[in-house]
Amino acid sequence: MPSYRTPPDDVAEVLATVLEKHHPDLLEAGVTFQLLGAHAKLDKNGVAKGAAIKHHGYPALAVVSLFSLKDRVGGSPDCRIVIDADQWEDHADAKRHSLIHHECLHVEVVRDEGGTIQVDDACRPRLKLRPHDVEIGVFWDAVKNYGDDSWEAEAWKTANRQMTQLLLFDKVG
């Protein structure tokens, strides 16, 4: 199990910048965040015994979650972002901003048909977690045995085609 501490000093700055640049909906709704830094458990030699964070069993650089209504009524913020503080410093600013942007993209403000922000019993904005646009689960054995006829290969080709189009024709940044 990892240990948790206050995240590196610049995480809050990165969050503020990313919210201002890419997430006016979260700012308009007044969504609040708690930031935590996760540190991998160390063995007796001081070597990490695995990832500081896992998501669905796989190592992750960050995860976001929503606090329950009960917690929010009790004064908790709306969301929590946990970053792998052991790896944060290993990445350039652009990668850090991209990581926080990714986590913020999971947070969706619930609006009614007219576009009005819905609120909960704590008079806080109702939120929901948005899944990834694409997730690909791969069994290498299926690819090995079926190659281009595997579902993994088909999913990869589709995702690769879309990614290539985005990177070639959309402005990045």
Side-chain angles (χ1 to χ4, degrees):
M1 172 167 269
S3 62
Y4 298 96
R5 295 190 211 70
T6 304
D9 293 337
D10 63 335
V11 176
E13 291 175 30
V14 170
L15 174 62
T17 301
V18 166
L19 288 171
E20 184 69 33
K21 187 173 182 180
H22 299 292
H23 300 280
D25 55 326
L26 300 179
L27 288 175
E28 176 190 358
V31 175
T32 56
F33 292 85
Q34 177 188 73
L35 300 171
L36 289 176
H39 299 270
K41 190 169 186 123
L42 304 177
D43 67 15
K44 63 183 177 185
N45 298 316
V47 177
K49 291 172 64 173
I53 302 172
K54 287 192 174 186
H55 185 65
H56 299 301
Y58 295 96
L61 293 175
V63 292
V64 65
S65 59
L66 303 179
F67 280 92
S68 71
L69 174 60
K70 180 172 71 172
D71 289 335
R72 292 167 75 181
V73 168
S76 291
D78 302 316
C79 310
R80 173 186 290 143
I81 297 176
V82 181
I83 62 136
D84 183 331
D86 297 332
Q87 296 192 47
W88 181 259
E89 299 300 327
D90 295 342
H91 299 286
D93 285 345
K95 289 284 190 180
R96 293 177 189 172
H97 285 243
S98 174
L99 179 64
I100 297 300
H101 177 52
H102 174 104
E103 297 309 318
C104 289
L105 283 168
H106 283 294
V107 181
E108 190 172 324
V109 177
V110 177
R111 297 176 182 265
D112 67 14
E113 297 83 26
T116 302
I117 296 169
Q118 298 297 290
V119 296
D120 62 19
D121 292 345
C123 294
R124 300 294 309 139
R126 283 191 51 221
L127 304 170
K128 63 182 182 177
L129 286 178
R130 176 181 168 207
H132 293 123
D133 294 333
V134 175
E135 284 198 28
I136 301 173
V138 175
F139 285 108
W140 296 121
D141 193 57
V143 176
K144 179 181 159 194
N145 288 313
Y146 291 94
D148 269 355
D149 291 324
S150 69
W151 289 105
E152 288 85 347
E154 187 63 35
W156 174 256
K157 285 186 234 175
T158 301
N160 188 42
R161 192 169 33 253
Q162 181 67 26
M163 181 72 79
T164 300
Q165 290 173 353
L166 287 170
L167 293 176
L168 286 176
F169 301 112
D170 285 354
K171 284 188 176 183
V172 177

